Amino acid sequence: MSKEIYENPDLKKERQNCPFNKEEITHLLDGGKEKTIERKQLENYILSDEQLKDAVPMEYLSHADKYAEELRKACLLMHKLADSPAGQVPTLRALMGAGLGSAVLKEGNPLALHYVMFIPALMGQGTIDQQAKWLEKAYNLNMIGTYAQTELGHGTFLRGLETRATYDPKTQEFILESPSLTAYKWWPGSLGKTANYAVVMAQLYTKGKCEGTHPFMVQLRDEETHEPLPGIVNMWLNPVCISSYIHYGTYVKPTNSKLSYATMVFVRVVVCQDVTTNLRKAVTIATRYSCVRRQSELKPGDREPQVMDYQAQQNKLLPPLAATFAFQLAADHLWNLYHTANNNIEQGDLELLPDLHGLSCALKALCSSEAANFVEVCRQSCGGHGYMSCSNFPRIYGQVTAAETYEGENTVLWLQVARYLVKTRKEQSGGLSVKYLIGEEKGPKTVDTTLEGIVKLYRRAAVGLVDVAIAELDKSGRKGEAPHDAWNHAAVYLIKAAQAHARLFVVESFVDSLKEGKLSAPVRTVLSQLCELFIIYWLLERSGDFFLCSNLTKQDLLLLNSKYVELLAAIRPQAVNLVDSFDLRDEVLNSPLGCWDGNVYQRLFDEAAKSPLNQSNVHESFHKYLKPLLKSNL
Ligand SMILES: CCCCCCCCCC/C=C\CCCCCCC/C=C/C(=O)SCCNC(=O)CCNC(=O)[C@H](O)C(C)(C)COP(=O)(O)OP(=O)(O)OC[C@H]1O[C@@H](n2cnc3c(N)ncnc32)[C@H](O)[C@@H]1OP(=O)(O)O
Ligand SMILES: Cc1cc2nc3c(=O)[nH]c(=O)nc-3n(C[C@H](O)[C@H](O)[C@H](O)COP(=O)(O)OP(=O)(O)OC[C@H]3O[C@@H](n4cnc5c(N)ncnc54)[C@H](O)[C@@H]3O)c2cc1C
């Protein structure tokens, strides 16, 4: 007789009479039905492999054992990719997109940098000959690379990197050196124990002149023994300059000095998708748990309610639920822009480079910071159990907060966006992602609180805040301040303007996607509710920006607040059905709180039992330390 599959009765009830087709949303998020089939096949292919499962929870292993265990699984994963029926590269791409990597490699992926930065650097900056020499070797894993840019003393300010690559015309070689302690490469993933090659960013010196930072291919370790090559600690010999700027000893300037920053742009684009995947996991865990958890008393004398029935809990979880759709659609738009810009750049057309830089900085900073805040809210919404390591919130939070710093610290990226916006506004030049700065809203500043009316408010805030920042810069200039001081003294306004720009892009992506998308009526209804909830939520959170730049009144805000709480109530019944549409398997969620069947308490109990401390009633340390203390009559 088939074993009855347990399903928590509350979750079961949540799933009854779903008014929309969950699979339609799954296909939308995957990029189509075929992609969903592909993803599920990959998940089965990988998650069914017993060797990729952890014998004991990773948190109970030593640092060295964690590294060894993750490396074992990563190497096994590579064999599976190579043997994958879909082919290595498509499978790799699917793996990166589905958040599967962290389902298997929970403590970090020793080979991630090889794929996410080392290979993209070769593809984006290597010459044809260099790609012919190294790309196949890299894809075949006959070499493991990393991307070594950040130093102890510099991560943000690339023009301040100290590692030097001096070209010797006699030997036609580059001598790489770390001239000081602060020049030591620090932070590059896999650099410590895994990689045997690195793309090293260094200041290129030739004929006594510094030509700025350039990428160099450096072998770090012997390919057989894995021993560091001689001098690798602070003097690196025989690197090869990646790219083709040295012709017979003469430096040939690239068409744009920032092309050497291209790898970072690629990763910023990837990070938007990655933090969105992590946010989807956190929202799914918190939403299912909030429908299983019953606590306190809503109506005196009644049974304890599901905590999701508290408006306060809906206010915590439904905006991040809406954000997962908003960020996904924006990340898709950014990915498309990246491909268009990259194809153009390969043909020598750099026109879209500033837009790509501006938008990738804006969305990486916005999605990572918002996702980090939302993941923390999801954790808090699960009370004490959300704090447990096995909830998976600590790991998810660590992954999204890291993204606020790596690949360009967010504040620094916001200022890059502001630089681009001020320049564009002043030049009134075209610009893909600042189209609205040119086509700003004309006509009366009255507010209408329809969806279109709210989008117009976002547009006014984005344009208005750039103008406020420019007015601050001009005011400082009139006081005789030097441009760099004026810029520094306007930083608060500049960052607000950049963030308003990023929010407008996300809002317009969401609204436009719903207009263009071929959606069934029920799916359009629920996604439109999420869209309206989200853009009102952000407006209420940043109402100061809108007051500054429009005729928004107290009455308008009260009306929007009422609409917001109405939308919370309207979406509440579909919360579980919406997170079910993400189609995240339990192994990917990796959390007793978020499991599909809602059997939370038994799974929490089972997880606790795995602790080494729970393998005996009295731990040996009692006899060593506690018992003597108890007897010591202090
Ligand atoms: C086992 C199986 C494996 C399976 C597969 C793996 C699975 C993986 C799963 C996970 C997938 C994805 C998750 C993501 C993982 C990512 C890991 C990443 C790890 C982290 C890596 C790093 O952190 S690398 C180091 C990053 N560092 C930075 O970003 C440094 C930031 N600083 C800068 O970029 C520059 O210093 C800065 C831009 C701030 C200033 O540069 P500067 O030269 O000073 O330029 P300015 O003077 O400010 O501006 C001059 C003009 O240049 C323009 N400009 C600047 N930058 C760019 C650019 N990048 N592109 C184009 N243009 C640029 C700027 O706009 C100015 O123009 P203007 O016209 O003169 O105004
Ligand atoms: C998990 C993780 C993985 C990483 N992996 C890699 C890797 O694989 N390869 C690699 O090369 N690097 C890697 N890094 C390093 C990362 O790229 C840097 O830490 C990042 O670029 C920030 O630079 P920083 O550490 O110098 O911070 P700093 O820039 O020193 O930041 C300190 C403070 O200074 C502020 N600040 C700096 N400049 C300005 C400015 N112009 N205006 C206003 N405020 C400013 C910042 O906003 C911040 O508040 C990784 C980092 C992390 C956390």
Side-chain angles (χ1 to χ4, degrees), residues 315 503 536-546 564:
N315 182 42
R503 283 188 167 81
I536 295 175
Y537 165 80
W538 254 358
L539 189 157
L540 296 174
E541 288 289 298
R542 311 286 299 202
S543 52
D545 294 351
F546 295 88
Y564 174 75

Side-chain angles (χ1 to χ4, degrees), residues 19-20 25 521-531 570-571 574 578:
F20 58 85
I25 293 180
V523 166
R524 183 180 301 284
T525 299
V526 72
L527 293 186
S528 300
Q529 288 172 328
L530 286 168
C531 177
I571 297 167
Q574 306 317 330
L578 283 163

Side-chain angles (χ1 to χ4, degrees), residues 540-577:
L540 296 174
E541 288 289 298
R542 311 286 299 202
S543 52
D545 294 351
F546 295 88
F547 269 125
L548 202 56
C549 306
S550 74
N551 293 345
L552 194 69
T553 66
K554 178 182 169 188
Q555 273 315 104
D556 296 324
L557 275 191
L558 290 172
L559 181 64
L560 287 168
N561 251 310
S562 306
K563 190 166 255 192
Y564 174 75
V565 295
E566 283 167 19
L567 285 162
L568 289 178
I571 297 167
R572 156 68 188 96
Q574 306 317 330
V576 170
N577 292 320

Side-chain angles (χ1 to χ4, degrees), residues 463-484:
V463 175
L465 286 170
V466 175
D467 290 344
V468 167
I470 289 171
E472 278 300 303
L473 291 166
D474 294 347
K475 188 171 75 178
S476 298
R478 285 193 297 275
K479 287 192 302 189
E481 282 195 18
H484 59 268

Side-chain angles (χ1 to χ4, degrees), residues 113 147 149-150 154-156 187-189 402 405-409 411-412 415:
L113 266 291
Y147 182 85
Q149 175 173 291
T150 302
H154 288 90
T156 286
W187 271 113
T405 301
Y406 65 50
E407 226 46 73
E409 198 279 328
T411 304
V412 170
L415 291 166

